[in-house]
Amino acid sequence: LEGLAANDMLVQNIWIHDYGVDNGYGPGHNATYMVGNNLTIENSIINNGCVGCTTTSGSGIGIWWAGGDTLPQASWDNITIRNNLVYNMGGGNQGAWGIYCGTRKAIKCNIYNNIVHNLHGGNSFGIVATYNAHNNEIYNNTIYSADSGCFYIFGPNEDASTDGTVIRNNICSQSGAIFTGSGPYIESNNLFSSNPGFVNPSGGDFHLQSNSPAINAGVAVNVSTDYAGGTRPQGGTYDIGAYEFGATPSTPSPSPTPTPTTPQPTPTP
């Protein structure tokens, strides 16, 4: 999925799987690559990306938004990545980035309520923000089993800076380094634990058990629902991670039942 200068776009409820080839950053290597203003991707699933790739260049990226620096636009702004599931990426010598927000144009990424797990190989990170990704909000994400680390925040370097980036209410578990990179950021109320109290992480269930240390350990942020659409907060204050314990998942409105109509008699000729 690729779009350049794709302003005012909403992408939702897509599933991209079993993609990626050994050719660096070229076509087919990443699941999504979008550049523009007012972009949102939500409620989508991306999995089995570049599994078994062996080249050392590039990375099997799941969600890469606001990524290009050659278009004439002065800046890109208001990029939202929320309520997505990215898993089973990379392998061999080839790494994987679950979510990547970065360009040499000034941008702001809102990264909320995503679940990223099982990223393997060299250079495998859960969430990456770099190259002038200013004022990012990285809230209430769950990252599990990312070989190189949960967050890669890179800058400053030449025209790269990540000033204003705020990282709160995230779970980082069974991964490499928690934070990597030289970029400036503010972080608080994150849970870095080998046992954060997930229901069944090996089975892909990252709901919180009743004794999880993530419950009521967050701070209020502008994320009013969780990954499943349940209301935040429950029990007084925010939980950490993509799921809010005790929240009732939202359900889509049922389709209206058609009203039966009485057939009209056929006129007698």
Side-chain angles (χ1 to χ4, degrees), residues 86-235:
V86 181
Y87 70 98
N88 197 25
M89 311 277 287
N93 295 325
Q94 181 66 29
W97 294 355
I99 295 172
Y100 175 31
C101 178
T103 177
R104 289 182 174 84
K105 310 291 186 179
I107 57 175
K108 177 183 185 295
C109 285
N110 311 303
I111 304 175
Y112 310 143
N113 286 340
N114 299 283
I115 298 174
V116 181
H117 67 94
N118 293 321
L119 309 183
H120 301 305
N123 194 32
S124 295
F125 294 95
I127 295 176
V128 177
T130 183
Y131 289 114
N132 270 353
H134 295 287
N135 302 318
N136 306 295
E137 296 179 352
I138 304 176
Y139 300 157
N140 285 101
N141 300 282
T142 292
I143 304 173
Y144 180 84
S145 189
D147 282 359
S148 299
C150 289
F151 302 98
Y152 181 32
I153 312 298
F154 180 74
N157 180 21
E158 298 178 1
D159 55 355
S161 179
T162 56
D163 59 284
T165 293
V166 181
I167 304 171
R168 289 183 172 140
N169 296 359
N170 301 280
I171 294 178
C172 170
S173 181
Q174 300 290 344
S175 299
I178 298 168
F179 294 101
T180 301
S182 58
Y185 57 83
I186 299 169
E187 71 93 5
S188 72
N189 298 83
N190 298 292
L191 177 60
F192 312 119
S193 172
S194 60
N195 185 18
F198 295 134
V199 170
N200 182 17
S202 62
D205 188 348
F206 296 95
H207 286 86
L208 303 176
Q209 299 183 53
S210 60
N211 62 347
S212 170
I215 296 173
N216 293 333
V219 64
V221 293
N222 59 332
V223 182
S224 60
T225 58
D226 71 354
Y227 174 81
T231 301
R232 294 184 190 272
Q234 300 283 323

Side-chain angles (χ1 to χ4, degrees), residues 1-12 14 32-42 65 77-82:
L1 176 64
E2 180 174 309
L4 301 178
N7 296 322
D8 304 310
M9 177 174 289
L10 170 63
V11 175
Q12 60 184 182
I14 64 171
T32 65
Y33 176 81
M34 304 291 286
V35 181
N37 289 295
N38 302 317
L39 303 178
T40 296
I41 180 169
E42 63 183 12
W65 282 44
D77 192 20
N78 195 27
I79 312 299
T80 299
I81 302 168
R82 64 189 175 203

Side-chain angles (χ1 to χ4, degrees), residues 24-25 29-30 50 56-62 64 94-97 122-124:
Y25 286 104
H29 199 77
N30 307 307
C50 217
T56 57
S57 63
S59 189
I61 299 173
W64 184 1
Q94 181 66 29
W97 294 355
N123 194 32
S124 295

